[in-house]
Amino acid sequence: ETQNIEIESGNTIIRVMDRVFPIENNGEITGLLYIRYDLKEVFDNLNNSMNVIIQATFLALLITFMIGSIVSKGITDPINEITAKASRMALGHFDQLVEVKSNDEIGKLGEMFNVLTRRLDATLKEISREKSKLETIIHYMDDGLIAVSKDNKIIHLNPKVAEMLDLHENTIDDFNFFISVYDPKLSVRRILDREDLVGNEIISFKESIYRVNYAPYKNDKGVFDGIVYVFQDVTEQQKLDEMRKDFVANVSHELKTPLTSIKSYTETILDGMVEDVDMQRQFLEVVNSEADRMTRLVRDLLQLSNFDAKKVVFDKEYHDYNDLINKAVLKLRVTAEQKSQKLTYEAKVDKMEGYFDYDRIEQVVLNIMSNAIKYTPEHGVVDIELREEEAYAVIAIKDNGMGIPAKDIPFVFDRFYRVDKARSREMGGTGLGLSIAREIVEAHGGEIDVQSIVDEGTTMTIYLPLGLSDDIKV
């Protein structure tokens, strides 16, 4: 039998193991053998072994923790870095790159993140450039633009349309009501009721005319999201169209009148209705006069056509304005005397040289002087003055005739424009003389000014540069 026993010896506990063996003699137990083992060394060895195991365990755990930390750090740090960079990208900083430290899956993830970042940054920069370019184009385009959402709210308008229509984005609560003032067909509601959402309309605002082109725009899912309106100022185009129509009508009328007269008189003669030789001669003189009138008209039209096509070549040299006006006065003095008019000329200088086409400027002066004589009654006065003002030759032609109404003054240089149409035709005018005069003067770098009062007279002042016209701008 074996038994462990702890023996107290003072403050010391001694651990021993007692074992008892029977002593037999001829099959009989004659005694007991009692043996006691001191277990101190055994327990010391066990304690040492336990300490070694615990230390080894702690050392293994420490090594495992250190290795785990290193491995974990190698995995989590790149992931944390990618997460942090991604967070900064979410805030709008797209220049984020991660450092690739390995060739494993984490390293490949970092490489792909960098590729994504570079592509995203390049794409956003390209989008930003295109957006900036588009905004600049829209901002500075000559046409007005308004973008309206499907719920009738203005989401964008450029400065040009604000200037055209005197409006601002925050001053319009109901776009349908606003646009319906100009044309109800342009309201979002009316456009959506149509099969075709693309079209245009013409509207008027104050003194301007606009062509409004409209078309729908869609969101990123391809669903209708609103309408874009583009306002084009076609005022000048409309005016040109009207002028072209008026021009054709005027030419047709100017040619029709003499042609009708020529045809009537020639048919009368051919039909033998006029047998008297003197009467036939009178008829033929009328035909000749009307033919001359058509010739003048065609000549003036060709001259204006050459000006429009920039085909007119000027023979410019230095000439004396004083000499030119003296000769013009001499040519028209007889015409003035026939109406008992007083034609006077005053020159502030004896000689005034300028660089101009003599024949063309003489044509201008003769035309304006002829008009002054033509529209001034008998016993009237026509005064011509020549003076110099700041390197310009100034020719003023003043009469005390019928004058021009203030409303007609801006249009006196328009083609075929006549203040008194019936009287102008009776006097043989084509309505193109002043238009040609202005073209010639402007081609010389000058201008013509008109001042007039009805029943008191008219003053036409011609300003022409004395030097090279290319060096002087009016």
Side-chain angles (χ1 to χ4, degrees):
E1 184 179 350
T2 302
Q3 185 176 1
N4 293 334
I5 300 173
E6 292 181 353
I7 301 173
E8 293 185 4
S9 175
N11 295 328
T12 304
I13 297 176
I14 300 172
R15 293 176 177 175
V16 296
M17 181 179 67
D18 293 342
R19 297 190 70 177
V20 178
F21 298 95
I23 300 173
E24 295 180 357
N25 189 9
N26 297 323
E28 292 183 0
I29 297 174
T30 58
L32 296 171
L33 177 61
Y34 184 82
I35 301 174
R36 173 169 286 178
Y37 296 95
D38 188 353
L39 298 177
K40 181 177 182 304
E41 185 177 350
V42 174
F43 277 100
D44 287 343
N45 290 334
L46 288 174
N47 287 334
N48 289 336
S49 298
M50 185 64 70
N51 289 334
V52 170
I53 292 171
I54 292 173
Q55 289 175 1
T57 301
F58 276 111
L59 181 60
L61 290 174
L62 179 62
I63 293 172
T64 302
F65 175 76
M66 291 176 64
I67 293 173
S69 297
I70 294 172
V71 173
S72 174
K73 187 175 179 61
I75 296 174
T76 58
D77 282 0
I79 294 177
N80 289 336
E81 183 182 3
I82 292 174
T83 303
K85 300 283 186 179
S87 299
R88 289 183 60 80
M89 286 178 64
L91 296 176
H93 305 284
F94 299 105
D95 56 346
Q96 307 300 311
L97 294 174
V98 298
E99 184 180 356
V100 180
K101 300 178 181 178
S102 63
N103 224 2
D104 55 6
E105 288 78 3
I106 302 298
K108 292 180 179 178
L109 177 62
E111 289 178 357
M112 294 307 298
F113 180 87
N114 290 341
V115 171
L116 175 65
T117 300
R118 291 189 185 98
R119 289 186 178 177
L120 181 61
D121 186 50
T123 302
L124 290 174
K125 285 180 179 178
E126 182 64 24
I127 293 173
S128 178
R129 282 195 298 269
E130 292 300 320
K131 181 175 179 290
S132 176
K133 190 188 304 180
L134 183 61
E135 287 180 346
T136 303
I137 292 172
I138 292 175
H139 188 86
Y140 292 102
M141 66 189 294
D142 289 334
D143 297 333
L145 183 142
I146 300 179
V148 183
S149 64
K150 60 183 177 182
D151 56 355
N152 196 35
K153 299 295 182 183
I154 292 181
I155 59 177
H156 183 78
L157 58 83
N158 68 349
K160 187 64 178 181
V161 77
E163 177 187 338
M164 286 176 170
L165 303 179
D166 294 335
L167 58 86
H168 299 282
E169 186 173 347
N170 55 2
T171 62
I172 302 175
D173 296 325
D174 188 337
F175 178 79
N176 280 337
F177 176 77
F178 163 77
I179 201 66
S180 294
V181 174
Y182 305 104
D183 191 338
K185 291 181 288 187
L186 289 173
S187 67
V188 177
R189 182 176 57 255
R190 293 281 291 273
I191 293 174
L192 291 178
D193 291 338
R194 305 176 190 172
E195 294 183 3
D196 188 2
L197 301 182
V198 180
N200 64 80
E201 299 290 342
I202 298 294
I203 67 171
S204 297
F205 178 73
K206 294 184 177 179
E207 297 181 357
S208 298
I209 301 171
Y210 302 109
R211 175 181 286 111
V212 184
N213 298 291
Y214 56 86
Y217 67 90
K218 300 179 180 180
N219 59 20
D220 55 349
K221 297 179 180 178
V223 179
F224 170 80
D225 207 27
I227 297 175
V228 174
Y229 297 84
V230 177
F231 291 72
Q232 295 177 315
D233 190 341
V234 294
T235 307
E236 290 301 320
Q237 181 180 338
Q238 292 288 104
K239 287 181 178 178
L240 289 174
D241 288 342
E242 291 298 324
M243 288 175 62
R244 185 166 54 249
K245 292 175 183 177
D246 291 342
F247 180 78
V248 172
N250 285 325
V251 170
S252 300
H253 183 76
E254 293 295 336
L255 290 174
K256 179 182 178 181
T257 302
L259 284 172
T260 302
S261 297
I262 291 172
K263 186 174 181 59
S264 298
Y265 282 100
T266 53
E267 284 180 349
T268 303
I269 294 173
L270 290 174
D271 290 341
M273 302 296 292
V274 181
E275 297 180 355
D276 183 61
V277 176
D278 292 335
M279 184 65 70
Q280 288 182 358
R281 182 175 181 82
Q282 290 179 12
F283 277 28
L284 291 174
E285 286 178 352
V286 172
V287 171
N288 184 58
S289 175
E290 294 298 323
D292 288 342
R293 181 178 170 184
M294 285 195 299
T295 301
R296 289 194 302 272
L297 177 61
V298 172
R299 181 194 61 211
D300 290 346
L301 287 172
L302 287 175
Q303 193 169 0
L304 284 171
S305 176
N306 288 333
F307 276 114
D308 292 339
K310 309 296 182 185
K311 293 181 179 180
V312 177
V313 178
F314 292 95
D315 182 17
K316 295 181 181 180
E317 293 182 2
Y318 281 97
H319 300 282
D320 182 11
Y321 280 108
N322 189 29
D323 177 68
L324 182 148
I325 297 174
N326 274 318
K327 291 180 179 179
V329 170
L330 184 62
K331 290 179 180 179
L332 293 176
R333 189 173 297 279
V334 174
T335 305
E337 290 175 351
Q338 288 174 352
K339 296 182 68 174
S340 301
Q341 294 176 347
K342 184 179 180 182
L343 184 61
T344 65
Y345 168 53
E346 179 184 2
K348 301 293 185 181
V349 292
D350 294 333
K351 188 174 184 180
M352 185 184 297
E353 282 199 342
Y355 187 74
F356 59 92
D357 185 320
Y358 190 94
D359 292 336
R360 299 285 187 177
I361 297 302
E362 183 184 43
Q363 179 184 353
V364 172
V365 174
L366 287 174
N367 180 277
I368 296 176
M369 287 175 61
S370 297
N371 284 344
I373 294 171
K374 186 185 301 181
Y375 297 107
T376 299
E378 292 186 359
H379 307 291
V381 178
V382 178
D383 295 321
I384 300 99
E385 179 187 352
L386 174 65
R387 65 181 185 272
E388 181 179 345
E389 288 184 7
E390 299 179 356
Y392 282 86
V394 181
I395 305 170
I397 301 171
K398 180 180 180 182
D399 65 63
N400 62 348
M402 58 188 293
I404 304 171
K407 64 181 180 62
D408 292 310
I409 290 178
F411 308 105
V412 294
F413 295 104
D414 290 353
R415 300 172 186 185
F416 292 111
Y417 190 84
R418 293 184 175 94
V419 178
D420 187 343
K421 296 178 173 57
R423 186 176 178 185
S424 297
R425 289 195 179 95
E426 288 175 2
M427 295 180 177
T430 63
L432 299 174
L434 287 179
S435 299
I436 295 172
R438 183 177 62 177
E439 295 284 355
I440 293 173
V441 171
E442 290 182 351
H444 281 76
E447 64 177 15
I448 303 179
D449 178 66
V450 181
Q451 300 292 329
S452 184
I453 300 176
V454 176
D455 296 330
E456 292 188 16
T458 302
T459 300
M460 286 204 174
T461 308
I462 307 168
Y463 296 88
L464 290 165
L466 291 172
L468 298 177
S469 59
D470 292 338
D471 301 330
I472 302 176
K473 302 294 182 184
V474 176

